[in-house]
Amino acid sequence: MSKNQNKPHSLHTGWTLLLGGLMLTISQFGLAQSNAVSLDRVVAIVDKDVVLESELNDRKISILERLKGQYQQLPPEDVLNKQILEQLIVERIELGMAERYEIKVEEAEIDQAIDRVLQKNQITLVQLEADLKTQGLTLDGLRKQMRNELTISHLQQGVVNSRIKVTDQDINNFLASSDGKFATSPDFHIGHILIAVSSSADADAIAAAEKQANDIYQKLQSGSDFSQMAISYSNDQAALQGGDIGWRKLAQLPELFGNQMASLGVGQVSKPFRSGAGFHILKNIEQRGGGEQLVEQTHARHILIKTSEIMDDAQARTKLLGLKARIEKGEDFGKLARANSEDTGSMLSGGDLGWSTPGMFVPEFEEAMGNTAIGGITRPFKSQFGWHILQVIERRKEDMSDKMKRNQAANVLRSRRFEEEFQLWLTQIREEAYVEIKL
């Protein structure tokens, strides 16, 4: 909801008073206006927040600096001001929503973002601070900006993705299409060695090139390093990169190459084969997708004791040690779980967690489960949920290739629909917000 009204507004933050569209920051409550230490005009009211003229000007300086030299003619100043103000308004709306959703950005995440900036620009933290200083900025200011950007990103990803619905029929239709078959086909990380043959080469030159290719192949079969052989002998442009030509799908390769790669297992090299350019040797360095995707699944059960004001860590651990001893003496795990476990999701089924795949549980639980033999019971261990003992019932290898392919297809469809849904969501939240523009 957007309105333009003349009624007075007031906003109190510490000693900050909003009156008549002006922000007066007063050093002490009750001082006269003549003692104000700063004067800043409010250019927009957004729900319970405001956008200040100084923010508008700072953002404009930053954008003009970034656009400098890219375009011969920039939009008129009033048009630019309107666009920038709208950007700031939407940011305020999103930050307000993030606060209501209690979205938090940890300091470690900001540290990682700064590390990426340093690595990308190949500079040190001291150099970054010096560069910021020349722009009238500080590292604290940059961290605040990054916090806002990461907060907004988390909000957008969470809310917009929750609005996108992908049905089983959507996935079936996509997998049946040529587009879907390409998107979900395996990716190959390929190594390439080329022994070039000139188009004008005579029979002796061709035979010599073929012999060299076969010699290289034999050395590779005997354990020689592919990268080193490529650097030493290949005439391909990727020779100095060890013959590494990156990741490719079979459909992106020449048919001659595709036919060879389709028959190679991970780590295998092809026999030399001929093309118009010469003799080639390919290596399947890595592969993503395709074939069986065997995943080890674990069937386990557990008993959870939560800590509280009347049950501290030591007491919870002692109680579980007692239950473990009773199980080892012959008492039924399921019966004790039903009587003692505080995991409401599994207690009625005797603590049974069913079959799980790696990554389903918190790290402490995964580690305990992975280190326990079939039939074994762990010692009490702690997670964010409380204290556990866990028993591994059985393990199996399950082919997850079809499920993984369907998950991949669903992710592709969500990615394609994200931008459209994102724009619809932005329009909706902008229309529903209270915005009063004073510029």
Side-chain angles (χ1 to χ4, degrees):
M1 178 174 65
S2 225
K3 294 184 179 179
N4 288 292
Q5 300 175 336
N6 294 320
K7 64 182 182 179
H9 295 267
S10 64
L11 178 72
H12 300 267
T13 308
W15 306 133
T16 304
L17 305 175
L18 172 62
L19 298 170
L22 293 179
M23 181 67 76
L24 306 180
T25 304
I26 304 175
S27 58
Q28 275 189 308
F29 185 74
L31 288 183
Q33 182 174 326
S34 59
N35 289 335
V37 295
S38 65
L39 183 64
D40 205 346
R41 185 183 175 209
V42 171
V43 292
I45 299 172
V46 184
D47 289 330
K48 297 180 180 180
D49 207 345
V50 296
V51 178
L52 302 178
E53 188 172 32
S54 60
E55 295 177 273
L56 178 65
N57 291 335
D58 288 344
R59 181 67 61 89
K60 182 163 64 174
I61 291 169
S62 175
I63 289 174
L64 289 174
E65 182 69 26
R66 180 166 51 84
L67 297 179
K68 189 186 298 180
Q70 293 187 32
Y71 303 97
Q72 291 184 345
Q73 186 174 359
L74 293 172
E77 186 175 10
D78 61 330
V79 174
L80 194 61
N81 282 341
K82 184 178 179 182
Q83 291 176 330
I84 296 171
L85 180 57
E86 185 62 27
Q87 184 184 74
L88 290 167
I89 287 170
V90 172
E91 285 179 13
R92 284 293 196 282
I93 296 169
E94 290 177 307
L95 288 171
M97 289 185 67
E99 185 177 357
R100 292 195 294 276
Y101 283 123
E102 297 184 344
I103 295 174
K104 306 290 184 185
V105 174
E106 301 296 333
E107 293 298 321
E109 191 174 356
I110 301 173
D111 292 338
Q112 291 170 3
I114 290 177
D115 285 342
R116 288 193 293 271
V117 171
L118 299 178
Q119 292 171 13
K120 182 179 179 181
N121 294 278
Q122 296 185 330
I123 58 175
T124 66
L125 185 61
V126 173
Q127 290 172 316
L128 174 62
E129 289 186 274
D131 186 48
L132 290 171
K133 190 174 182 179
T134 62
Q135 301 175 54
L137 304 173
T138 64
L139 187 60
D140 285 342
L142 177 64
R143 291 182 70 88
K144 181 180 179 181
Q145 178 186 336
M146 285 183 166
R147 183 184 298 280
N148 286 345
E149 290 176 358
L150 288 167
T151 300
I152 289 172
S153 176
H154 294 337
L155 173 77
Q156 292 172 351
Q157 292 294 324
V159 175
V160 177
N161 277 319
S162 70
R163 291 163 58 104
I164 298 171
K165 306 302 179 188
V166 177
T167 67
D168 284 342
Q169 190 59 50
D170 291 334
I171 294 172
N172 293 339
N173 293 341
F174 179 71
L175 289 174
S177 69
S178 57
D179 194 16
K181 290 175 182 176
F182 174 81
T184 58
S185 63
D187 297 283
F188 296 89
H189 186 188
I190 303 172
H192 178 222
I193 293 175
L194 168 65
I195 305 303
V197 175
S198 169
S199 58
S200 59
D202 59 20
D204 289 342
I206 294 172
E210 184 175 16
K211 181 179 184 306
Q212 185 182 14
N214 283 321
D215 288 345
I216 292 170
Y217 174 74
Q218 291 301 327
K219 290 178 180 177
L220 291 170
Q221 292 296 97
S222 300
S224 293
D225 182 70
F226 188 95
S227 297
Q228 188 59 52
M229 298 297 284
I231 292 170
S232 301
Y233 300 108
S234 181
N235 305 123
D236 181 68
Q237 289 185 344
L240 293 179
Q241 285 77 51
D244 190 337
I245 61 174
W247 288 90
R248 300 284 191 280
K249 291 183 178 292
L250 294 184
Q252 296 172 311
L253 297 171
E255 185 177 359
L256 191 62
F257 279 37
N259 292 338
Q260 294 289 331
M261 289 302 302
S263 62
L264 293 180
V266 174
Q268 292 183 338
V269 295
S270 69
K271 291 182 177 180
F273 60 95
R274 176 81 188 274
S275 78
F279 292 91
H280 307 265
I281 300 172
L282 298 177
K283 179 176 181 179
N284 184 352
I285 302 171
E286 297 176 82
Q287 183 175 333
R288 297 186 297 224
E292 283 189 331
Q293 301 291 317
L294 293 177
V295 176
E296 184 173 78
Q297 295 184 316
T298 303
H299 184 194
R301 54 186 175 180
H302 82 134
I303 296 173
L304 169 68
I305 302 297
K306 297 179 181 179
T307 55
S308 64
E309 292 181 357
I310 59 173
M311 177 71 71
D312 62 21
D313 285 333
Q315 290 170 318
R317 185 175 181 278
T318 299
K319 182 175 180 178
L320 286 172
L321 282 172
L323 292 173
K324 181 175 184 290
R326 291 169 64 183
I327 294 167
E328 290 172 340
K329 287 179 180 178
E331 291 194 49
D332 182 65
F333 190 110
K335 186 175 180 180
L336 290 176
R338 283 189 287 272
N340 295 278
S341 182
E342 296 180 70
D343 177 14
T344 55
S346 68
M347 60 179 288
L348 294 179
S349 58
D352 197 324
L353 298 168
W355 287 100
S356 65
T357 53
M360 281 183 59
F361 299 120
V362 294
E364 300 87 352
F365 206 93
E366 293 272 343
E367 183 179 1
M369 190 164 58
N371 292 333
T372 304
I374 293 174
I377 301 175
T378 65
R379 292 184 63 78
F381 65 94
K382 188 178 182 181
S383 78
Q384 67 192 66
F385 302 105
W387 284 83
H388 314 255
I389 54 171
L390 174 149
Q391 182 181 48
V392 173
I393 301 171
E394 52 186 325
R395 287 193 172 94
R396 70 184 182 188
K397 295 279 189 179
E398 189 76 4
D399 182 8
M400 303 291 287
S401 53
D402 184 62
K403 185 174 182 180
M404 292 173 75
K405 183 179 285 189
R406 293 184 69 83
N407 286 342
Q408 186 181 1
N411 289 336
V412 170
L413 290 171
R414 286 193 187 92
S415 177
R416 291 182 176 182
R417 297 175 185 177
F418 185 89
E419 187 59 32
E420 180 182 359
E421 192 63 40
F422 174 59
Q423 293 302 326
L424 288 172
W425 174 70
L426 280 185
T427 300
Q428 180 183 332
I429 64 172
R430 177 64 174 83
E431 289 175 348
E432 292 175 352
Y434 177 91
V435 178
E436 184 176 347
I437 296 175
K438 291 182 168 291
L439 186 64

